[in-house]
Every structure is written in structure tokens, then in C-alpha cells.
Amino acid sequence: MLEFVLRALVFAGLLAIPGVVLYVDQDLLFPYVTGKNILFRLLVEVVAAAWVVLAMRDPRYRPRFSWLLAAFLFLLLAMFFANLFGVQPAVGFWGNLERMDGYITLLHLFVYFLLLGSVFRNKRQWRLFFGVSLAVALYAAISGFAQSIGEGGAASGRLRGILGNSGFMASYMLLHGFVAAWLWAGSEKGAARLVYAAAAVVFIAALAATGTRGALLGLCVGVLVAAGHVAVHRGGRRATWGYAGLGFAVLVLLLGAWFGMARDEGLADESALSRIVETAPRTLDTRLEVWRIALDGAMERPILGWGQNGFNQVFNAHYRPELHADEQWFDRAHNHLLDWLIAGGVLGLSGYLALFIFSLYYLSRAAARDHAGEDAGLSGAESAVVMGALVGHFVANLASFDTLASYIVVVAFLGLIHARVSPVSLGGCPGAAVGGRVAMGAAVVLAGCVLLLYQGFHQPALATAKALRSALSEDRPAHRLALFNQALAYDTFARQEAVEHLVRRAMAMARNDEGSSALSAAFIRRAEAELLGLLAEGGHDARLHLFAAGFYRALGDHAKAASHFASARQLSPRRPAIITQQAIEELRLGHDGLAHRLFEEAYRLDERNMDARAWFAASLLHNREFSAVWDLMDSPPARRHLANSEAVVRAASAAGAFELLMELYRIRVATHPGRAQNWAALAYLHHRRGDDEGAIRILKQGAGRIPGFAPQASCIIEKLRSGSDPNQGCVPGGGL
């Protein structure tokens, strides 16, 4: 009876794991991430506890050896030491709410792999598992299409679905295209094959709707590899030639559709498809720069890397000024090889690559054995599809990274390979079953361990995510502070995220004067205490110093703001945005010389940085170096950017650089002719120079462009012609 219950629990739990992808909890801070990961971990722990007792009672379920198992163990060992000696060991081991990654996730994935490889013994069980996964993915795809069509659709037009991210959805759809193909290859029923073929079409359509080029490229490469693998191991069989031909036909259709769309100018307004067919993607240059940063970081710590979730430190330390116009915070290299190299160095990357190498070895061996007429565990077509899935996913991830949804499928494929090629038990003699009393005692102990894990780790993490979500949507300041206090009281791995959100809210309260003075002071005190605590524990994070600088700037403490900007600059010395912000604070403190040097430093890092150019121009105007400012206006983009910079315009006005100011407003009216204030300001500058006729001409041009400006322009013109003050009486608050 005990074995029956344990077996049922283990099988039911494993079949439930693909369904965690469907879990979305809008009450959590990251509704598409946090709940899925915690549910996955809890299911793995429950199933693992039951499996341990089952393996004690029934040696058939004990783990077996394969080189895949050895590679996974090596990866675990390498990453343990990589995190232990990494730059942020706590984050490396436990991760954060946004990604829910880290060693804890890797450990659960290994246990999941071990469970699959030990429990599912025959092909029927594997087909049932992948059938469940297929059904879940079909629901994800169809609901994603429904979401994008309805009011809740993605604003960008790219399919995101229940994963909340188009790139992650693409990876999930890519893998399930091969899951459908694997089920199709192993089915002998025509009706079932039609269902699997239709599912594959749905997944390919969903992948295209995500607008993810890397995943589509991975699909093409995966299909090519699968078809080529079948052709090489055809063994003269007509059926295998048919499989290979079908694979090549699918590849031709995919490539034909891709190039056909690329030639269709009508797709320019379809954001997902136009993104796929874009021949010079805007993100490519950014990715190349980020990959260079990753390589620089890998050279600095080549053996064990920086630990998991350590790329943020690499990005800060090796930031390239060429990225000034892109996202300022990357926590991943967006290349799985570089991400593993950063996380675990050469040792970690070697363990990761070994999983793929041994998988391809076993799949090739299975195909050869099938060709020889031996029982290979997988047919030649089935092994080809799995190989195509792994290679396609590998290629797609050269511009992305894994999440739980893709991990679940990839590790399942690894478990399938492990289960079908590893006949040797590690549990000793097959007949050495443990007695019932011992097994029952172990079951009680393990159940208690699972309960302790839930209460001590999972439940507090869920409660923290829920409290933070509630705090961010709470309008009443007192209740908001109570919710933040509640989230911080759990003291989970999400503490930094909780503090960052608390600091943001405290800054908003300080700027907007929300709540009573006593409540606002309490909010600010708590935020400052928590922020300083984080800095004391991990002051090597530039992001934390930037939070502190923004916090003190909001409070009006510019000396502390400048100090933290300087600390952030030491940790990320080539980031123009940080240098510029420090310069602004130094200027407020009256340190004009230092501010000017910082503005120039930020500009010289990359002279294509128009924001840095504008601030440097404003600093030059402050020093009355007018000719140098004219030199900065050396191209149409530079002229437009400086003209539209309020800092430059204010500095020119304060310095009395009227010729320059007139030129800036000429550019403004040319760039934005629909803004009445630009015409009025340009007319005023002509008036100040004594050129009233020029001012009248400008006002008439503005009135012709903006009908609503005509009454005010006529009033001002009348004042100018009569010699009256044009700033009096034409509009409330002034004239020009």
C-alpha cells in the first residue's frame, strides 16, 4: 500500500510540473515569475521526498549512471564554488524575485532531472509526460493569441502570453514545436499524427508572433540538424527518408516565408513580423557591446567567474560608453555561453557544455544502434528530433538565456536521454529493499523537511512578493509604510528589491509632499536606514549607490548625493550618465571647476553621446566659452539636440549669449513649428537686439503656422509698433 501511494504521488507530481508554467499570480510583485518558480520548487521537493522512500522500497526506481548525470554533478560542484567565491554569494545562491534564478534553482533542476531519469522507465510514460507538456503549451499559445487580439494584448504587438515576455515565449514555443514532432515521430495512429502536426503549426505561428529572430533561427537550424541526422542514419529505410524529406520541406517553407516577408514592404507596420525580417536589427550593435563587456569580465575572473547573478557587477565595471543610448542596466549577457562563463568561469561553462556534448553523443549512439536493428531506447527519428530540439535551443540562446519555462522542457529532454541510455543502477543490489518501518520513518522525516522548507523559505518569499505588490498599489501612505515594513520583516532573499521600492516611494513622498510631515519623516527614516544597511553589506554595487544618490537628491542633501554619485562612478568609471549626474550635484554645491571637468569627461568618453554633449555645452556657456559651444554644433543632429536642451538654453540665456540663443530658437521653430512659445521666444530675442521688424516678421510666420497663436501675435505686434512693452497685456502672465 505504501509503495502504491508513493508511486502515485511521484507520477502525479512529475506530470504536474509542466503545468507550473500556467501559474500567474497578479498579487505577487513579479506575477509571471515568482509564483511559477516557487511552485516548481515545492513540487520538486514533494516528489523528491516521496521518490526517496519509494527507491528505498523498490530498487527499480533508484538512480542510474550516465555521463549526463556526471556532467550535471560536475556543473553543480563548479557552480557551488563559483557562488561561494563570487562577488555576491548570497545573491548567487538564492537569486532574487525578478529572475528567481541562482544555485537554488539549479539544484532543483538537477533533482528534477534525476527524478525524471529514475521514474519514467518506458516510452509510454515519457509520451504521457510530453503529452501533458504539449497540452499546457497549446493552452499557452492559444491564450496568448487571444490576449494579443483582445484588450489585454501586448502594446508592442509581440506575443507574450502567460510568460509575460515575448523572448521567453519564443523559446518555450520553439521547444514545444520539437515536442510535437517527437510525439508525431513515435505515433502510429493517423489521427494522433494530425493532432501533433497541427500543434506544431500552432507553435511555429506563436513563435513568429513573438517577433524573436533568434528563436526562429534556432528553429531553422534545429529542423536542419534533425533532418540531416535522419538522412545520415537512414539505413536504407523508406520511412526514414520520408522523415528527412519532411524535415527539409519544413525548413524550406520556413526560410521561404522568412525571405518572402523580408521582401514585403507591407509588413513594415506589423511590429512582430517586421522585427523578424529586419535585415539590420537595431539590437545587434547593443548585443555585441554587451558581449564584449562579458568577455572583458570573463578575462578578469576566468576560472570560477563572478557567481550566478553576477553579470550586474561585470556590466558596471566594464561598461562601454557606446551603450549610452541603450538600457543602462543589464543583468544578463543575453548569450547563454557568456552567461555561464560569467557565472561559473571556464569550469562552469565546461559543465554546461558537457550536458550538450554527452546528449549529442548518446543520441548519435542511439541512432546507430537503431540502424543496426538493436533496441536503442529511441528510434532514429525520435533521437533526431531530440537532437534538433537541443541544437535549435542552443542556437536560439546565443542571443538569449533560459528561464524556468524553457528549463523544464530542456531538462526533460536530458532526462529522456539519461533514462533511455543508462541501464546501470547506482543503488547497489537490485533486491536490497529497505524494510517498511524504516521507510515509514524516512517518509515522516522527509515530509517534515518539506514542510520546514515551505514554512522557512517558500512561504516567506511568497508573502514578501505579495506585500511588495500591495505596497506599490496602496494609495494610503500609512498603509503603504506598514506593508513595506511587513515585507522587510520577512528578511528574505528579496530584501534588496524591497529596499529599492521603499526608497523610490520615499523619494516620491519627499518630492510630492505626500502625507503628514510625521508620516513622511518616518517613511524617509526607514528608507534611509534600510538603504544604508544594504550599502554596508554590499557597497560594491553601483546600482545601490545610485539609489542612495537619488534619494539624497530628492531630500535636497546635495553633498551626500554627490558623494554617492562619486562612489558609483568609482565602481562604473566609464558610464557617462553617472559622471554627468555627479557633475550636476557638484555644480549645485558651487564646485564649478570640478563640475566642468566631469561634464567634459562624460562627453569625451563618446562624443556621439548627445546628452553628454548638451551638458558639456551648458558648462562651457557657464564659463562663457561661446566659441567652443559653436564648435559642438557641428552636425544637424547635434544642432537639434542642443537646441532642444533646456539646460543649454537656460545657460545661454544666463550667459547673455544672444546670438547663440537666437540660433537655438531658429532651430527650435524649424524642428517644432507647432509650438507657439518657440516663435514668441525667437521674436523676443529679435526685439531685445533692437530688431522689431524682425520680431514682427517672426510673429507673423508663427501666426500663419499656428492659428491659435494669431490673437496673441497680433497683440504683441501692435505693442511693438506702438513702442509699448510687448510683455504687458497680451496674454495672462506676459506677452513674449
Side-chain angles (χ1 to χ4, degrees):
M1 182 62 181
L2 176 62
E3 289 86 350
F4 175 80
V5 173
L6 292 170
R7 193 178 299 112
L9 181 59
V10 169
F11 274 85
L14 286 176
L15 291 176
I17 284 177
V20 304
V21 175
L22 301 176
Y23 184 51
V24 177
D25 190 343
Q26 297 293 345
D27 291 332
L28 301 179
L29 181 59
F30 296 101
Y32 296 101
V33 178
T34 308
K36 285 180 176 62
N37 281 267
I38 290 179
L39 181 58
F40 168 75
R41 295 174 186 179
L42 184 59
L43 279 173
V44 168
E45 290 160 7
V46 170
V47 174
W51 168 72
V52 169
V53 182
L54 178 62
M56 293 170 64
R57 293 290 295 158
D58 190 343
R60 292 178 302 168
Y61 293 100
R62 292 176 184 174
R64 292 161 291 169
F65 178 78
S66 75
W67 289 108
L68 269 178
L69 176 65
F72 219 141
L73 285 170
F74 178 81
L75 178 61
L76 275 179
L77 185 65
M79 295 312 302
F80 175 83
F81 287 105
N83 288 318
L84 184 64
F85 298 110
V87 291
Q88 289 183 300
V91 179
F93 279 109
W94 301 112
N96 55 35
L97 283 179
E98 183 177 7
R99 297 295 187 193
M100 291 296 288
D101 208 345
Y103 193 78
I104 186 70
T105 296
L106 183 62
L107 187 61
H108 280 79
L109 288 169
F110 171 74
V111 175
Y112 169 56
F113 163 81
L114 197 60
L115 290 169
L116 289 171
S118 303
V119 173
F120 292 155
R121 310 297 300 275
N122 56 58
K123 192 176 293 186
R124 181 181 61 84
Q125 294 168 340
W126 279 104
R127 288 185 63 82
L128 176 60
F129 175 83
F130 281 118
V132 171
S133 188
L134 184 84
V136 170
L138 270 175
Y139 175 83
I142 294 170
S143 64
F145 280 123
Q147 180 192 56
S148 63
I149 293 171
E151 293 183 355
S156 66
R158 300 176 63 193
L159 188 70
R160 297 177 301 175
I162 57 175
L163 298 183
N165 180 285
S166 55
F168 303 158
M169 188 72 170
S171 181
Y172 187 62
M173 293 294 105
L174 164 66
L175 288 166
H176 276 91
F178 286 100
V179 168
W182 186 83
L183 291 169
W184 180 89
S187 177
E188 298 178 354
K189 296 180 180 180
R193 284 194 159 194
L194 285 175
V195 171
Y196 298 139
V201 171
V202 171
F203 296 141
I204 293 173
L207 191 160
T210 65
T212 307
R213 294 176 294 266
L216 184 57
L217 177 62
L219 177 63
C220 293
V221 173
V223 170
L224 178 62
V225 167
H229 184 74
V230 170
V232 168
H233 296 282
R234 66 190 184 280
R237 300 178 187 176
R238 183 174 298 177
T240 52
W241 270 114
Y243 293 152
L246 179 62
F248 281 115
V250 171
L251 177 62
V252 169
L253 287 174
L254 287 172
L255 292 175
W258 195 342
F259 288 113
M261 290 188 295
R263 296 172 62 87
D264 187 350
E265 297 180 359
L267 292 177
D269 295 331
E270 301 293 334
S271 58
L273 294 178
S274 64
R275 191 176 188 276
I276 287 178
V277 302
E278 188 179 0
T279 56
R282 295 181 298 274
T283 58
L284 181 59
D285 289 341
T286 300
R287 292 290 169 85
L288 290 174
E289 292 297 337
V290 173
W291 294 346
R292 292 187 184 103
I293 290 173
L295 288 172
D296 290 341
M299 294 296 292
E300 186 175 341
R301 298 172 68 102
I303 306 301
L304 285 173
W306 297 67
Q308 288 174 268
N309 298 298
F311 185 72
N312 176 49
Q313 308 297 325
V314 176
F315 188 74
N316 288 337
H318 298 277
Y319 180 89
R320 288 175 173 263
E322 293 82 0
L323 291 169
H324 62 85
D326 297 291
E327 183 179 344
Q328 291 299 295
W329 299 104
F330 279 83
D331 64 348
R332 293 291 188 277
H334 289 268
N335 177 299
H336 63 139
L337 299 181
L338 291 175
D339 278 322
W340 281 101
L341 183 61
I342 289 296
V346 173
L347 292 179
L349 178 61
S350 298
Y352 176 71
L353 288 175
L355 292 172
F356 287 92
I357 292 170
F358 284 120
S359 294
L360 299 183
Y361 162 72
Y362 282 129
L363 290 170
S364 297
R365 192 177 75 167
R369 290 176 62 188
D370 180 67
H371 167 56
E374 302 176 17
D375 181 12
L378 294 173
S379 70
E382 289 172 328
S383 62
V385 171
V386 176
M387 182 179 288
L390 293 178
V391 172
H393 181 66
F394 187 95
V395 171
N397 267 2
L398 292 175
S400 186
F401 55 92
D402 277 304
T403 60
L404 180 66
S406 57
Y407 273 137
I408 286 175
V409 187
V410 171
V411 174
F413 277 130
L414 298 180
L416 170 67
I417 299 168
H418 170 67
R420 304 301 288 174
V421 300
S422 54
V424 181
S425 171
L426 293 180
C429 175
V434 175
R437 290 185 178 180
V438 175
M440 185 62 73
V444 172
V445 171
L446 289 170
C449 291
V450 171
L451 184 61
L452 287 174
L453 281 172
Y454 175 76
Q455 291 182 335
F457 187 75
H458 303 315
Q459 194 276 334
L462 282 171
T464 300
K466 188 172 184 178
L468 288 174
R469 181 73 171 187
S470 299
L472 296 180
S473 59
E474 178 58 62
D475 294 328
R476 296 165 295 181
H479 289 76
R480 187 188 308 149
L481 179 58
L483 287 166
F484 274 119
N485 288 334
Q486 179 183 336
L488 291 165
Y490 289 115
D491 196 24
T492 66
F493 60 87
R495 184 184 167 209
Q496 178 166 338
E497 288 159 305
V499 173
E500 288 180 0
H501 285 292
L502 173 64
V503 169
R504 286 194 185 101
R505 290 295 176 171
M507 291 163 59
M509 290 186 71
R511 284 193 293 260
N512 302 329
D513 195 23
E514 291 185 51
S516 66
S517 57
L519 180 61
S520 179
F523 220 112
I524 290 170
R525 282 196 305 271
R526 183 63 195 267
E528 183 176 26
E530 293 294 337
L531 183 57
L532 293 178
L534 278 181
L535 285 168
E537 296 170 10
H540 50 273
D541 189 346
R543 180 183 175 92
L544 285 178
H545 283 288
L546 288 179
F547 264 96
F551 175 74
Y552 285 116
R553 172 184 282 175
L555 297 183
D557 192 337
H558 298 294
K560 288 184 178 179
S563 174
H564 283 287
F565 277 127
S567 297
R569 176 167 159 257
Q570 289 179 346
L571 296 167
S572 190
R574 290 172 55 79
R575 190 175 300 203
I578 295 177
I579 300 172
T580 298
Q581 292 304 313
Q582 183 189 351
I584 292 171
E585 294 305 311
E586 299 293 353
L587 194 62
R588 286 171 173 165
L589 293 170
H591 304 155
D592 295 359
L594 175 58
H596 180 71
R597 290 193 297 274
L598 290 171
F599 282 129
E600 182 172 10
E601 178 183 343
Y603 168 64
R604 298 300 180 194
L605 284 172
D606 185 356
E607 296 186 1
R608 296 168 299 177
N609 185 340
M610 291 301 167
D611 288 335
R613 182 185 292 247
W615 281 109
F616 181 46
S619 179
L620 289 169
L621 287 167
H622 184 72
N623 292 341
R624 306 185 68 80
E625 298 180 42
F626 301 154
S627 61
V629 178
W630 284 103
D631 292 339
L632 292 178
M633 299 171 65
D634 56 3
S635 67
R639 291 164 61 84
R640 286 193 298 269
H641 196 88
L642 266 62
N644 288 295
S645 168
E646 292 299 328
V648 173
V649 170
R650 285 196 300 267
S653 178
F658 288 109
E659 290 300 323
L660 176 63
L661 200 56
M662 288 181 67
E663 179 62 19
L664 295 176
Y665 273 104
R666 289 190 192 103
I667 298 170
R668 280 194 173 193
V669 298
T671 307
H672 303 290
R675 296 179 183 176
Q677 183 58 38
N678 291 338
W679 295 96
L682 182 58
Y684 173 74
L685 291 171
H686 277 274
H687 168 66
R688 283 286 304 270
R689 198 175 60 171
D691 182 12
D692 285 351
E693 289 301 318
I696 291 170
R697 184 178 64 255
I698 294 297
L699 289 168
K700 287 181 177 180
Q701 291 175 0
R705 289 293 190 96
I706 311 170
F709 178 55
Q712 180 185 353
S714 297
C715 177
I716 298 172
I717 290 172
E718 184 179 344
K719 294 277 188 182
L720 291 172
R721 285 174 172 168
S722 65
S724 303
D725 186 354
N727 282 304
Q728 300 295 324
C730 289
V731 293
L736 287 180

